[in-house]
């Protein structure tokens, strides 16, 4: 018991009956759990065989196993430490024959599941475009998480045509799995609960086996996991659940926060112990976290505290654009690395969505700062981003055979590998590129019916090229590719967490294209692809663990970093627009819990930032500063000069100006502006307030103006941002051009 505080010791020693251990961030819960195992064995004389500890990940299970082995002198190997899925596999391998399966069942991964669903759709004569495989898989998974059988799902679907169709697939899917003696990952839990429900004698055997049960991260359990634990603990009720309702952030995966909030209703005799002492963060960081999370109503009352020093105040910075935000974050990292000797792994950059990583990645590359994406790929390495870039490459010149191969069947066009091999053989014979061979598909021997499908693809590429030649902008071309290929519709129809993230990444790629168009004097597709290629080339980075870490807030859970930059602190981004518009009263509260998780990742320094103007889906958005920033107590946050909240008034005036301009037929600029420089040093600085100094122009829409290079033209649109105007001019000699007024130096022609 050495080294444990009073509350930790109490949690270790309370072993009889239900226990709810509310373990705040950084409060040492894993230490408590392992010491509890040791106490049960060495002080209470419990047989290691009778102890079950459940974690959510194999990594967590491995770490707990190591710790238990270190502190338990004898019998540690007999303690069951496992994930939910591994526990269920062990049980089913012994007993699934009672459910008319063979014990040597196969476990299907997501690719196997998709293949089975595809077969089901084909058999049921259902259109995979209308009912995408992954969307169906997600609905079946949600049903199993709720312990809903195909028959029950069918009854629930009554009157809802789509759900009735899904019910047909669900039933056929389970039939095919049964025929193949196979289970998917959801089945592992479902079938175990089903086994215990219909075979109480088997359940009793495991109840007697696992007399002491501990469950980590209980706030992340879903309904079927709740049912499994309830079954196993029903006889002896020696159940210790450990979790933090303030860190329940996986509702989208099926997690049910009410499992932990209603624990005392399920187990009225339960004792509740709160671990509130934090060993990770400074006082100011914890005050910020407590200030934010206290605004949630659906939570257990608790507040983190620490004996660590006050530390630096939390810094909040408001920038004109997301580009300034990212550049300033990177500059601050570079400064602390150079001046204070901080290693790069001292820093973590966190964000709400994966798509936000793109700008940070580019700025880090420009500064030659090594980085690593946790829980995902580099932006330009993501599947959907590579797909669309390959489409652009093929439209540009078509000489990249790898790009052609990548997209020929994305989305699926029914052009199989055998057909592609025949086209390649034809290309090799006549020494031409793959795309050129496709243009001659009717001449390819043995291609037969596939020739028409290939021609459909080549005609699409030709159409895109014609649109570009006719003057279509690159961003409009990008939209056309997404729409006419069916790529976007397929992702929308899928309606899964993965597809939503992929759509966000595609929107961010469009932001990149729009940014390029605005910055390039003569934007071309070739130059755009060249710029992307240079940014995407990260091979020059040396392999080292000393890297800045980038990750979403969800990926950051369970981790800690000395210095954290949390970007995009704006309403409609964080909290998300979906949460703000949701009918679910818990939606914003879950976002606030996610913010709490982000704040409590920081040990020493925490930087929050927002942008007045952020490009989303290729257009400029003026979002308010996140309500979560406002919820941080004034005495622990540094808010830039007059205060960041004064910026809200400035932003609102900009929004009014935007509306005024829109009423006169103008649009809003999404052009990233240059930094507001420090008046003394002349250099941008993180945390400095930007002044809004609007330039004056003497022309408007319809006026004739003169440019020193392009000659005379007519102003067709004015675009207003914070400090500048974007002007669209139809020049007599060179056509339509977009430019900033401050650079264009246009003169009104009377």
């Amino acid at each position: 018991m050495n080294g444990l505080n009073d509350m930790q010791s109490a949690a270790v020693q309370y072993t009889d009956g239900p226990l709810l251990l509310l373990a705040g961030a950084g409060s040492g819960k894993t230490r408590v759990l392992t010491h509890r195992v040791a106490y049960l064995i060495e002080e209470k004389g419990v047989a290691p065989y009778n102890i079950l500890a459940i974690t959510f990940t194999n990594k967590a299970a491995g770490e707990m196993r190591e710790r238990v082995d270190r502190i338990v002198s004898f019998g540690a190997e007999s303690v069951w430490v496992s994930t939910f899925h591994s526990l269920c596999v062990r049980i089913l391998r012994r007993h699934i024959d009672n459910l008319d399966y063979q014990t040597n069942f196969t476990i299907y991964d997501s690719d196997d599941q998709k293949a089975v669903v595809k077969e089901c759709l084909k058999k049921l004569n259902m259109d995979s475009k209308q009912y995408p495989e992954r969307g169906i898989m997600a609905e079946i998974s949600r049903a199993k998480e709720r312990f809903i059988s195909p028959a029950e799902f069918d009854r629930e679907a009554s009157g809802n045509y789509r759900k009735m169709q899904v019910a047909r697939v669900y039933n056929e899917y389970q039939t095919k799995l049964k025929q193949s003696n196979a289970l998917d990952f959801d089945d592992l839990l479902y079938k175990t609960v089903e086994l215990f429900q219909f075979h109480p004698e088997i359940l009793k055997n495991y109840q007697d086996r696992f007399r002491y049960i501990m469950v980590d991260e209980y706030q992340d359990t879903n309904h079927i996991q709740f049912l499994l634990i309830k079954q196993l603990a029903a006889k002896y009720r020696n159940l210790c659940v450990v979790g933090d309702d303030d860190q329940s952030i996986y509702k989208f995966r099926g997690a049910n926060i009410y499992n932990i909030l209603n624990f005392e209703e399920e187990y009225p005799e339960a004792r509740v112990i709160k671990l509130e002492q934090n060993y990770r963060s400074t006082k100011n960081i914890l005050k910020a976290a407590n200030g934010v999370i206290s605004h949630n109503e659906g939570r257990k009352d608790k507040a983190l505290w620490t004996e660590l020093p006050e530390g630096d105040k939390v810094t909040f910075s408001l920038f004109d654009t997301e580009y300034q935000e990212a550049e300033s974050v990177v500059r601050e990292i570079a400064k602390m690395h150079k001046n204070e000797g901080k290693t790069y792994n001292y820093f973590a950059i966190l964000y709400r969505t994966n798509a936000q990583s793109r700008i940070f990645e580019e700025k880090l590359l420009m500064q030659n700062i090594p980085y690593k994406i946790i829980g995902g790929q580099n932006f330009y390495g993501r599947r959907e981003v590579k797909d669309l870039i390959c489409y652009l490459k093929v439209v540009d010149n078509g000489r990249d055979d790898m790009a052609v191969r990548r997209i020929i069947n994305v989305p699926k066009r029914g052009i199989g590998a055998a057909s592609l091999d025949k086209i390649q053989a034809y290309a090799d014979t006549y020494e031409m590129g793959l795309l050129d061979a496709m243009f001659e598909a009717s001449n390819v021997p043995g291609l037969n019916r596939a020739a028409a499908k290939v021609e459909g693809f080549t005609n699409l590429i030709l159409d895109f090229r014609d649109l570009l030649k006719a003057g279509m902008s690159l961003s409009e071309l990008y939209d056309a590719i997404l729409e006419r290929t069916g790529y976007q519709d397929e992702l929308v129809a899928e309606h899964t967490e993965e597809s939503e993230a992929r759509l966000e990444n595609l929107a961010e790629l469009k932001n990149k294209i729009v940014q390029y168009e605005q910055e390039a004097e003569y934007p071309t597709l070739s130059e755009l692809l060249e710029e992307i290629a240079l940014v995407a080339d990260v091979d020059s980075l040396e392999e080292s663990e000393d890297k800045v870490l980038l990750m979403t807030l969800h990926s950051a859970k369970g981790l800690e970093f000395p210095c954290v930059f949390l970007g995009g602190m704006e309403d409609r981004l964080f909290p998300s627009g979906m949460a703000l518009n949701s009918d679910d009263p818990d939606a914003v509260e879950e976002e606030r819990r996610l913010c709490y998780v982000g704040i409590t990742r920081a040990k020493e320094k925490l930087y929050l930032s927002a942008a007045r103007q952020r490009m989303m889906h290729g257009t400029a958005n003026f979002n308010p500063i996140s309500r979560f920033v406002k919820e941080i107590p004034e005495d622990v946050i540094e808010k830039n000069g007059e205060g960041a909240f004064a910026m809200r008034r400035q932003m609102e005036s900009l929004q009014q100006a935007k509306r005024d301009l829109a009423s006169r037929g103008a649009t809003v600029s999404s052009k990233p502006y240059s930094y507001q420089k420090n008046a003394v040093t002349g250099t941008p600085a993180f945390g400095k307030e930007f002044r809004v100094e609007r330039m004056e122009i003497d022309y408007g829409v319809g006026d004739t103006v003169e440019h020193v290079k392009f000659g005379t033209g007519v102003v067709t649109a004015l675009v207003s941002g914070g400090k500048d105007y974007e002007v669209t001019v139809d020049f007599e000699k060179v056509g339509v051009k977009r430019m900033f007024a401050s650079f264009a130096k246009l003169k009104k022609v009377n």
Side-chain angles (χ1 to χ4, degrees):
M1 305 296 283
N2 291 338
L4 300 179
N5 63 40
D6 291 345
M7 290 296 98
Q8 289 174 331
S9 295
V12 167
Q13 295 177 63
Y14 187 82
T15 58
D16 298 318
L19 171 65
L20 171 59
L21 188 57
L22 293 172
S27 62
K29 65 180 177 69
T30 306
R31 182 179 175 84
V32 170
L33 282 175
T34 51
H35 276 77
R36 197 168 191 273
V37 171
Y39 183 82
L40 282 167
I41 296 171
E42 297 177 351
E43 300 295 329
K44 301 289 289 186
V46 175
Y49 180 86
N50 293 135
I51 301 172
L52 169 66
I54 300 177
T55 65
F56 262 79
T57 66
N58 289 317
K59 182 183 177 184
E63 290 175 352
M64 184 174 289
R65 165 60 64 193
E66 287 178 11
R67 293 200 190 190
V68 169
D69 289 345
R70 281 201 304 269
I71 65 173
V72 175
S73 56
F74 178 76
E77 68 282 354
S78 299
V79 178
W80 273 36
V81 182
S82 73
T83 64
F84 276 100
H85 288 105
S86 60
L87 168 69
C88 291
V89 168
R90 291 178 73 174
I91 293 171
L92 292 174
R93 288 292 185 205
R94 298 176 184 180
H95 306 288
I96 200 171
D97 54 334
N98 291 274
L99 299 177
D100 295 326
Y101 284 78
Q102 296 175 21
T103 55
N104 64 340
F105 58 84
T106 301
I107 301 172
Y108 278 3
D109 62 17
S110 58
D111 289 337
D112 298 324
Q113 289 176 259
K114 188 177 179 181
V116 176
V117 171
K118 186 177 179 180
E119 288 178 16
C120 294
L121 292 171
K122 186 176 181 180
K123 181 178 179 179
L124 298 170
N125 199 28
M126 293 170 60
D127 186 358
S128 61
K129 291 183 178 179
Q130 189 176 358
Y131 300 96
E133 290 95 340
R134 292 196 179 278
I136 296 289
M137 288 162 59
E139 291 198 61
I140 292 173
S141 179
R142 285 193 289 270
K144 291 180 179 180
E145 285 175 357
R146 293 188 296 131
F147 198 53
I148 302 294
S149 68
E152 289 173 301
F153 192 93
D154 188 46
R155 286 194 294 272
E156 286 186 0
S158 180
N160 185 318
Y161 180 77
R162 177 180 170 78
K163 284 198 173 294
M164 288 168 67
Q165 295 300 99
V166 174
R168 293 174 65 207
V169 182
Y170 184 12
N171 185 66
E172 183 65 25
Y173 174 79
Q174 290 303 122
T175 300
K176 285 187 177 295
L177 259 62
K178 183 76 173 293
Q179 290 170 348
S180 301
N181 194 43
L183 305 179
D184 62 25
F185 276 91
D186 294 310
D187 279 331
L188 296 176
L189 284 105
Y190 188 104
K191 293 298 178 184
T192 305
V193 172
E194 188 179 55
L195 176 72
F196 288 161
Q197 185 180 66
F198 292 107
H199 297 275
E201 72 285 359
I202 298 175
L203 172 61
K204 182 179 180 301
N205 176 53
Y206 283 97
Q207 289 174 337
D208 289 333
R209 168 77 187 267
F210 302 129
R211 301 189 180 205
Y212 294 86
I213 301 171
M214 287 172 278
V215 184
D216 196 11
E217 304 288 2
Y218 192 67
Q219 79 279 350
D220 294 333
T221 53
N222 59 27
H223 184 64
I224 194 104
Q225 289 164 338
F226 165 79
L227 291 177
L228 177 63
I229 294 301
K230 184 179 178 180
Q231 288 175 323
L232 288 171
K235 184 175 182 179
Y236 294 97
R237 300 177 76 82
N238 294 325
L239 172 63
C240 170
V241 300
V242 185
D244 183 5
D245 52 302
D246 290 334
Q247 297 187 73
S248 178
I249 59 174
Y250 294 119
K251 187 176 182 178
F252 64 93
R253 292 182 187 171
N256 186 354
I257 191 174
Y258 293 100
N259 289 348
I260 192 168
L261 291 179
N262 297 340
F263 185 82
E264 295 156 273
E265 292 182 18
E266 191 69 37
Y267 301 93
E269 74 275 32
R271 181 174 177 185
V272 180
I273 297 176
K274 300 176 184 179
L275 301 184
E276 296 172 294
Q277 185 174 357
N278 176 283
Y279 295 91
R280 176 187 299 158
S281 307
T282 63
K283 285 185 174 66
N284 280 330
I285 291 172
L286 292 185
K287 286 179 183 176
N290 289 333
V292 171
I293 201 62
S294 66
H295 287 78
N296 270 4
E297 295 181 4
R299 65 185 292 266
K300 302 283 189 179
D301 183 44
K302 57 187 174 300
L304 295 178
W305 61 275
T306 185
E307 293 180 345
L308 295 173
E310 290 284 337
D312 295 340
K313 286 189 176 183
V314 176
T315 299
F316 173 74
S317 302
L318 180 65
F319 301 96
D320 282 342
T321 70
E322 68 269 40
Y323 303 94
Q324 291 179 354
E325 176 190 40
E327 192 164 332
S328 189
V329 167
V330 172
R331 183 174 283 106
E332 187 72 6
I333 290 171
K335 185 182 77 175
M336 281 195 269
H337 176 71
K338 181 180 179 181
N339 298 341
E340 301 176 29
K342 303 297 186 186
T343 56
Y344 288 124
N345 58 13
Y346 181 83
F347 308 98
I349 302 173
L350 310 183
Y351 33 78
R352 177 63 181 85
T353 67
N354 269 307
Q356 289 171 258
S357 76
R358 194 264 303 177
I359 299 171
F360 289 112
E361 288 184 67
E362 291 187 2
K363 299 300 182 184
L364 287 163
L365 284 166
M366 290 176 187
Q367 294 292 326
N368 201 28
I369 294 176
Y371 69 89
K372 182 178 181 180
I373 303 282
I374 302 297
Q377 288 179 303
N378 293 340
F379 180 80
Y380 291 105
R382 293 167 191 164
R383 182 177 70 184
E384 60 279 4
V385 175
K386 291 178 75 172
D387 287 344
L388 268 293
I389 289 173
C390 283
Y391 266 107
L392 293 171
K393 285 180 177 179
V394 174
V395 172
D396 188 40
N397 61 44
R399 290 191 295 271
D400 188 335
D401 284 1
M402 293 302 295
V404 175
R405 281 184 170 275
R406 183 178 183 96
I407 64 171
I408 183 63
N409 232 10
V410 178
K412 291 178 181 174
R413 299 184 174 91
I415 303 170
S419 297
L420 199 55
D421 288 343
K422 290 170 184 174
I423 299 170
Q424 186 65 64
Y426 183 87
D428 294 342
T429 301
Y430 293 97
E431 297 181 347
M432 60 174 63
L434 187 61
L435 186 66
D436 290 334
M438 288 179 178
F439 285 126
E440 300 182 14
S442 59
N443 299 326
V444 177
L447 205 54
N448 303 325
R449 288 181 297 176
K453 297 174 180 176
V454 174
E455 286 173 359
F457 171 73
T458 55
N459 288 337
L460 199 60
I461 298 301
L462 290 173
D463 287 347
F464 292 146
R465 289 178 176 179
D466 289 342
L467 290 171
L468 198 58
K469 288 176 184 176
M472 176 176 276
S473 72
L474 299 180
S475 54
E476 290 170 334
L477 172 67
Y478 179 79
D479 288 340
I481 292 172
L482 278 175
E483 180 182 348
R484 292 188 56 183
T485 61
Y487 198 106
Q488 181 169 276
D489 288 344
E490 189 173 88
L491 289 176
V492 170
E494 198 172 295
H495 197 59
T496 62
E497 174 201 342
E498 181 187 354
S499 67
E500 291 294 329
R502 293 176 67 192
L503 285 167
E504 287 174 356
N505 290 331
L506 291 175
E508 184 58 32
L509 181 57
K510 181 178 179 180
N511 291 344
K512 168 65 182 178
I513 295 169
V514 172
Q515 178 202 0
Y516 164 76
E517 286 183 304
Q518 292 173 346
E519 293 181 337
E521 190 171 3
Y522 301 104
T524 67
L525 181 53
S526 297
E527 190 179 80
L528 168 67
L529 291 168
E530 182 181 317
E531 183 172 306
I532 287 174
L534 291 171
V535 172
D537 182 17
V538 298
D539 293 338
S540 60
L541 296 177
E542 293 183 8
E543 283 299 317
S544 169
E545 290 305 308
D546 187 24
K547 298 177 180 180
V548 177
L549 296 179
L550 280 69
M551 68 195 77
T552 64
L553 287 157
H554 284 100
S555 297
K557 188 171 178 293
L559 305 176
E560 60 183 41
F561 315 95
C563 180
V564 168
F565 293 89
L566 179 48
M569 297 297 295
E570 304 133 36
D571 275 3
R572 293 195 287 275
L573 181 60
F574 192 35
S576 69
M578 188 179 296
L580 292 174
N581 296 326
S582 173
D583 295 329
D584 182 359
D586 186 54
V588 172
E589 295 215 345
E590 174 133 341
E591 292 283 293
R592 186 174 283 109
R593 293 194 290 270
L594 191 56
C595 182
Y596 174 83
V597 167
I599 292 172
T600 54
R601 298 313 92 192
K603 298 167 68 175
E604 301 171 15
K605 297 178 181 290
L606 176 63
Y607 294 89
L608 310 177
S609 56
R612 291 192 188 90
Q613 173 183 305
R614 183 177 299 272
M615 201 185 302
M616 300 175 76
H617 302 279
T619 59
N621 284 262
F622 292 81
N623 295 325
I625 295 166
S626 172
R627 61 197 64 201
F628 303 150
V629 176
K630 289 181 65 179
E631 292 166 359
I632 295 174
E634 293 282 340
D635 63 327
V636 300
I637 189 168
E638 201 171 86
K639 297 181 295 189
N640 305 332
E642 297 179 13
F645 300 125
M647 293 294 183
R648 188 184 295 271
R649 294 191 295 273
Q650 294 179 351
M651 184 172 60
E652 288 171 349
S653 68
L654 287 177
Q655 290 175 310
Q656 186 57 54
K658 179 186 78 170
R659 289 190 290 270
D660 292 343
L661 281 165
S663 68
R664 298 198 296 269
T667 55
V668 182
S669 174
S670 54
K671 170 72 181 179
Y673 305 112
S674 60
Y675 274 108
Q676 173 70 44
K677 292 184 176 180
N678 184 290
V680 178
T681 64
T683 59
F686 192 89
K688 298 298 180 184
E689 184 175 333
F690 296 103
R691 297 186 299 272
V692 179
E693 298 174 355
R694 189 185 301 273
M695 69 169 297
E696 299 293 329
I697 56 175
D698 63 353
Y699 50 83
V701 175
D703 287 337
T704 300
V705 293
E706 186 176 23
H707 186 272
V708 66
K709 182 177 179 181
F710 303 136
T712 59
V714 177
V715 178
T716 59
L718 272 179
V719 177
S720 176
K723 304 175 188 177
D724 207 345
Y725 293 92
E726 184 184 87
V727 188
T728 303
V729 182
D730 188 357
F731 289 102
E732 294 174 2
K733 295 181 180 179
V734 296
V736 177
K737 296 289 181 183
R738 288 180 293 179
M739 60 199 76
F740 279 114
S742 58
F743 295 105
K745 310 294 183 187
L746 297 171
K747 292 183 179 179
K748 184 177 178 180
V749 178
N750 295 320

